[in-house]
Amino acid sequence: MSSTPWIPNQYPKARRSDHVDVYKSEKHGQVRVPDPYQWLEGQSEETDRWTTEQDTFTREYLDKNPDRMKLENAIRANTDYEKFTAPSFKHDGRWYWYYNSGLQGQPVLYRSKDHTLPDFSKPGPGGEVYFDANLLTKDGTAAIATSAFSRSGEYYAYGISLSGSDFCTIYIRLTSDPLSSINEEAVDHHTKRLQEEIRFVKFSSITWTHDSKGFFYQRFPDRDSHGLATEDKAGTETMDDKDAMVYYHKIGTPQSEDILVMKDAEHPDWMWEASISELDGRYLYLSVVRDTARKNLLWVSDLQENEIGQNMKWVKLIDEYDAEYTVIANDGTKLYILTNENAPQYKVITIDLADPKHEHRDLIPEQKDAFLDDVTAVGKDYFAVVYKRNVIDEVYIYSLEGKRLARLAADFVGAADVSGRRSQSNLFVTLTGFTNPGIIGRYNLDEPDDEKKWSIYRTTQVEGLKAEEFSAEQVWYESKDGTRVPMFIVRHKSTKTDGTAPAIQYGYGGFSISINPSFNPAILTFLKSYGAVFALPNIRGGGEFGEEWHNAGIKEKKINVFNDFIAATEYLVKNKIVAPGKVTINGGSNGGLLIAACVNIAPEGTFGAGVAEVGVLDLLKFADFTIGKAWVSDYGDPHNPHDFDFIYPISPLHNIPTDKVLPPLLLMTADHDDRVVPLHSFKHAATLQHMLPKNPHPLLIRIDKKAGHGAGKATEKRIQDAADKWGFAAQSLGLKWQGS
């Protein structure tokens, strides 16, 4: 089809105010920065009216795509397959796992009837329903944000997030009282749960003490704006998150009686993660972070010698923000710790609590050519270790003495996720890739025959998409400064290789987060339906090659991330993998920043279209809202005069070019996103439309309702999101439907 006709200068109007913010610059002293759409930061009738008009305007354009419903239906059909996680043995003597029959809004927690490992040789869930999150709301917008079973096996604590908010409310129910429906009758989860509600919980785990009398959790101060726990008001405010606290909740008591364990008025930005030693339950570990940098403090308290409360004595093993330290396991006073201390590719060390000097001893040294991504203590005497080598995972078994014993799934190419515990002899590895929706392998540490230890436990079967019709390869290209960057390229067999193919190029590049090979039925449907290519460059700022790769894309070096991404597109075109001007770029959150920045700075015609989801677009104000202050470790602090000077020139909102044509651009955000608040996208859309009203391509914003940053989003919403953004790509590039 030809691209959807577009008439410029028809956007809904937005009032411009004379608001000005003043910043301090090391180079220029005071800098006055106009912010005419500052009013879009607040909730008001005017903001509601503008967002409604914008979303309606965008909807009218998206619906002009004659093939949009074909694409949505094809994505839905190809998403309709069984999905499941590896089973996990709980202390009630049963195995538990998540299962989705295909199009259920949320995955359902199933369990076995006894201690026998479930048999999944036949299709279906393979057990009985314990907790069906689809019964929480009619529209699937409630999701489990965090959960944990008690050591006794009696209790299940679960945090419910509404409409995608990062806030959740924790409830508790007996494992003898499942939340399941008979004959699809409505069931209220409140009827059989315990009486207490634990509110204002955010970015928290649930850590039970071994006596199962209660658990530790992190919460923020009360907020009247949240109303009742069931009112769905959390997630729409923009106030900054500070003064996090650790509390201990005793079963059967109201939250008002919870015991305060930790708060720090002198450091309101600090956040806390509590965990307990697995086998003996003796030690409470507290990891303390101040931002998203890979650095934390590590404090330990002996629960045998301390009464839970503010007067607990802490051994402050790590009391400076020098590196990252994660406790893997302990044997008595000996702690096994994963760290990047003098090891950007990470290593395992030991620290003995009984040693007055708390000496750090290397156990598994750093490998310079592979990133030590994950270490899990399994069985009584083993580690399951995941190395990432050139963005491809390798799984090994090590002894607790640091000796490598075996490699698992050596022929596999993709991403690996290990699940297991020291109290169990079975560990499971979930293997996924661009053309592999999921294989769960089982490794039995008790099996005496080495040849029989590893076996395939369960394989995902997809009806609509055939893996053999797609291919994936990895290439390397040079960025602007000569740095070599890897990129995965995925094709359908129908995709032309003569330099005429369209493409989706995805990127992130931040916060030391690795973007791994993954199975995405919506993208594969697009490749098949339009003869397209999918490209994933693993650009700097990510964690694919450890902390040096991450640090090469932060603060003053953030421009490297954008240059890496633009160079990827240029490589694809130069090598005739894709057609010039037919690359749609896409990213979310920090990746949304990436897309908006690259659209601003890339030469005209580099990209065919852009889709920026829930992006951080106002780099001068990100730190003022919700959890944004934590991102200064990657972006710098705009309120610091030195940092202001490298932030201002790359902030997408403040650097929209007026001397070139921008490609079709779709901003996507959501009303309950309290991670990257939607005002970023609101202000950016209003500014684009004001500065470039005659741009020959659309500059649009889509605003989702009852949705957040992305976590817990219902299946149907994900399908509609995918149909809109990839449909936008198709109608912007004038792609012809080839069928699915």
Side-chain angles (χ1 to χ4, degrees):
M1 68 176 181
S2 58
S3 58
T4 301
W6 172 253
I7 302 174
N9 210 12
Q10 300 290 312
Y11 298 110
K13 300 300 180 184
R15 174 175 63 86
R16 289 177 63 81
S17 75
D18 58 2
H19 182 89
V20 174
D21 293 309
V22 180
Y23 295 86
K24 292 182 179 179
S25 162
E26 201 171 60
K27 294 179 180 178
H28 308 292
Q30 284 195 343
V31 177
R32 295 172 59 83
V33 180
D35 192 359
Y37 300 114
Q38 182 264 350
W39 59 271
L40 283 170
E41 295 173 4
Q43 296 179 19
S44 67
E45 289 186 10
E46 186 180 23
T47 300
D48 288 344
R49 185 166 55 251
W50 181 85
T51 57
T52 299
E53 290 173 353
Q54 287 285 340
D55 199 47
T56 300
F57 184 75
T58 298
R59 185 79 265 156
E60 290 173 353
Y61 179 81
L62 297 177
D63 287 345
K64 289 179 182 177
N65 176 2
D67 298 325
R68 190 205 165 282
M69 282 309 301
K70 289 182 186 176
L71 180 59
E72 179 179 320
N73 290 336
I75 292 172
R76 185 176 293 105
N78 291 334
T79 303
D80 190 6
Y81 61 90
E82 292 181 310
K83 307 166 190 70
F84 39 80
T85 63
S88 177
F89 192 75
K90 306 301 181 184
H91 291 284
D92 64 346
R94 299 171 185 245
W95 293 89
Y96 286 78
W97 63 94
Y98 283 99
Y99 172 85
N100 188 316
S101 60
L103 297 176
Q104 289 176 284
Q106 301 289 340
V108 179
L109 184 59
Y110 279 80
R111 65 183 180 185
S112 60
K113 293 184 178 180
D114 55 32
H115 67 277
T116 305
L117 189 64
D119 178 8
F120 294 117
S121 58
K122 297 180 180 179
E128 64 181 32
V129 173
Y130 172 63
F131 194 98
D132 185 353
N134 297 292
L135 300 174
L136 298 174
T137 58
K138 293 181 180 179
D139 58 6
T141 56
I144 301 299
T146 183
S147 65
F149 287 85
S150 68
R151 185 82 175 185
S152 67
E154 294 176 87
Y155 303 110
Y156 173 63
Y158 53 101
I160 294 179
S161 162
L162 299 178
S163 299
S165 171
D166 280 334
F167 276 101
C168 69
T169 298
I170 296 176
Y171 303 97
I172 306 149
R173 69 192 304 113
L174 296 171
T175 52
S176 57
D177 281 330
L179 179 68
S180 60
S181 176
I182 300 174
N183 299 324
E184 299 187 358
E185 294 181 3
V187 177
D188 185 353
H189 94 95
H190 294 292
T191 57
K192 287 191 175 183
R193 67 170 177 83
L194 303 192
Q195 63 183 359
E196 53 259 54
E197 286 182 339
I198 297 91
R199 303 197 58 198
F200 312 109
V201 179
K202 192 174 190 181
F203 307 130
S204 178
S205 57
I206 297 171
T207 303
W208 289 88
T209 46
H210 275 213
D211 60 11
S212 298
K213 292 181 178 180
F215 53 81
F216 298 95
Y217 67 98
Q218 174 179 272
R219 60 159 293 181
F220 287 85
D222 289 15
R223 294 189 180 182
D224 292 338
S225 60
H226 284 196
L228 300 175
T230 55
E231 285 192 273
D232 196 14
K233 291 184 177 180
T236 57
E237 69 273 288
T238 60
M239 64 184 291
D240 59 333
D241 294 325
K242 58 184 179 181
D243 298 317
M245 300 164 282
V246 178
Y247 273 86
Y248 181 74
H249 175 75
K250 287 187 176 181
I251 298 303
T253 64
Q255 186 177 20
S256 59
E257 297 179 10
D258 285 1
I259 301 169
L260 177 63
V261 175
M262 183 63 67
K263 70 175 182 179
D264 192 331
E266 294 183 6
H267 301 97
D269 298 322
W270 284 12
M271 293 192 292
W272 323 84
E273 182 178 0
S275 58
I276 285 180
S277 51
E278 179 191 343
L279 292 183
D280 57 24
R282 178 173 179 175
Y283 297 109
L284 174 65
Y285 309 123
L286 204 59
S287 175
V288 190
V289 299
R290 61 185 177 184
D291 51 34
T292 54
R294 300 295 174 160
K295 299 176 181 180
N296 65 285
L297 312 182
L298 180 60
W299 303 345
V300 183
S301 185
D302 189 336
L303 292 175
Q304 289 184 7
E305 298 181 359
N306 287 277
E307 182 179 351
I308 293 173
Q310 284 185 278
N311 295 323
M312 298 177 73
K313 295 180 180 178
W314 295 93
V315 176
K316 296 186 176 182
L317 281 183
I318 308 295
D319 209 28
E320 298 289 340
Y321 285 103
D322 293 329
E324 182 175 23
Y325 300 87
T326 303
V327 178
I328 304 163
N330 75 298
D331 280 325
T333 58
K334 183 180 181 181
L335 306 186
Y336 302 95
I337 294 173
L338 177 65
T339 182
N340 59 3
E341 173 191 274
N342 300 318
Q345 296 276 49
Y346 285 74
K347 63 183 179 180
V348 176
I349 64 172
T350 62
I351 301 177
D352 196 331
L353 294 172
D355 174 9
K357 296 181 180 180
H358 296 148
E359 186 176 351
H360 297 194
R361 299 178 182 274
D362 284 4
L363 182 71
I364 301 178
E366 178 190 29
Q367 288 190 21
K368 296 298 183 182
D369 64 343
F371 170 48
L372 181 50
D373 194 24
D374 184 56
V375 181
T376 305
V378 294
K380 189 179 179 182
D381 302 313
Y382 303 96
F383 293 128
V385 175
V386 179
Y387 278 102
K388 192 177 298 294
R389 195 182 310 274
N390 293 334
V391 207
I392 296 170
D393 287 352
E394 300 173 359
V395 184
Y396 298 91
I397 301 297
Y398 276 69
S399 71
L400 294 186
E401 290 73 40
K403 181 181 179 182
R404 181 179 291 182
L405 303 176
R407 182 176 177 184
L408 312 185
D411 296 332
F412 176 77
V413 177
D417 180 64
V418 172
S419 58
R421 294 205 304 269
R422 292 192 77 182
S423 56
Q424 290 295 311
S425 60
N426 286 294
L427 69 98
F428 298 90
V429 184
T430 302
L431 306 167
T432 54
F434 292 112
T435 61
N436 167 28
I439 297 170
I440 298 176
R442 173 192 174 197
Y443 191 78
N444 185 353
L445 293 161
D446 285 346
E447 170 59 54
D449 187 345
D450 287 346
E451 297 297 320
K452 296 180 179 180
K453 286 181 181 290
W454 172 259
S455 61
I456 300 303
Y457 180 64
R458 196 173 188 183
T459 303
T460 305
Q461 303 292 337
V462 178
E463 295 294 329
L465 295 166
K466 294 180 172 57
E468 62 270 19
E469 292 184 358
F470 298 88
S471 63
E473 63 173 327
Q474 187 183 54
V475 299
W476 292 75
Y477 66 94
E478 281 195 3
S479 188
K480 185 176 181 178
D481 63 359
T483 298
R484 295 182 73 241
V485 181
M487 175 165 55
F488 290 107
I489 298 173
V490 185
R491 296 181 177 87
H492 185 255
K493 67 178 184 180
S494 67
T495 301
K496 294 181 179 179
T497 57
D498 59 358
T500 62
I504 293 170
Q505 180 180 314
Y506 178 85
Y508 187 78
F511 299 95
S512 200
I513 294 173
S514 301
I515 306 301
N516 301 317
S518 63
F519 187 82
N520 188 314
I523 288 178
L524 295 181
T525 299
F526 183 88
L527 302 192
K528 184 177 180 180
S529 300
Y530 293 104
V533 167
F534 175 71
L536 172 60
N538 294 105
I539 54 183
R540 282 174 283 185
E544 291 87 348
F545 299 95
E547 273 303 279
E548 289 180 351
W549 192 252
H550 170 222
N551 290 333
I554 66 173
K555 296 185 177 180
E556 292 96 332
K557 299 177 182 178
K558 188 67 178 176
I559 193 66
N560 289 338
V561 181
F562 310 148
N563 288 336
D564 287 359
F565 198 66
I566 294 168
T569 304
E570 294 170 343
Y571 173 91
L572 293 170
V573 172
K574 180 181 178 181
N575 288 274
K576 297 194 175 187
I577 297 167
V578 303
K582 292 291 185 181
V583 177
T584 296
I585 56 173
N586 171 239
S589 193
N590 175 74
L593 158 64
L594 170 71
I595 301 311
C598 288
V599 165
N600 283 353
I601 66 178
E604 183 177 321
T606 300
F607 309 121
V611 180
E613 301 178 62
V614 294
V616 186
L617 307 177
D618 183 348
L619 283 184
L620 295 186
K621 284 193 171 180
F622 73 87
D624 301 342
F625 306 109
T626 63
I627 197 61
K629 184 70 182 295
W631 310 333
V632 298
S633 54
D634 250 51
Y635 298 147
D637 184 353
H639 301 296
N640 176 300
H642 173 78
D643 292 4
F644 174 87
D645 288 334
F646 63 74
I647 294 172
Y648 191 30
I650 65 169
S651 175
L653 178 65
H654 304 97
N655 292 278
I656 294 170
T658 56
D659 59 349
K660 69 176 184 180
V661 172
L662 295 192
L665 181 62
L666 178 64
L667 308 180
M668 299 176 69
T669 187
D671 65 346
H672 279 66
D673 188 347
D674 51 2
R675 184 87 56 86
V676 180
V677 287
L679 63 88
H680 285 273
S681 295
F682 294 170
K683 291 165 62 176
H684 197 65
T687 305
L688 282 166
Q689 294 172 2
H690 171 76
M691 294 182 67
L692 301 168
K694 296 181 180 180
N695 195 69
H697 306 299
L699 306 169
L700 304 173
I701 181 170
R702 176 187 182 274
I703 305 160
D704 204 358
K705 304 295 183 183
K706 295 198 71 177
H709 198 59
K713 183 173 285 191
T715 300
E716 184 59 26
K717 273 189 175 288
R718 292 185 185 277
I719 291 169
Q720 292 171 4
D721 285 359
D724 277 347
K725 64 184 175 184
W726 305 137
F728 176 77
Q731 67 187 123
S732 297
L733 302 181
L735 304 184
K736 183 179 179 181
W737 177 264
Q738 298 180 6
S740 60

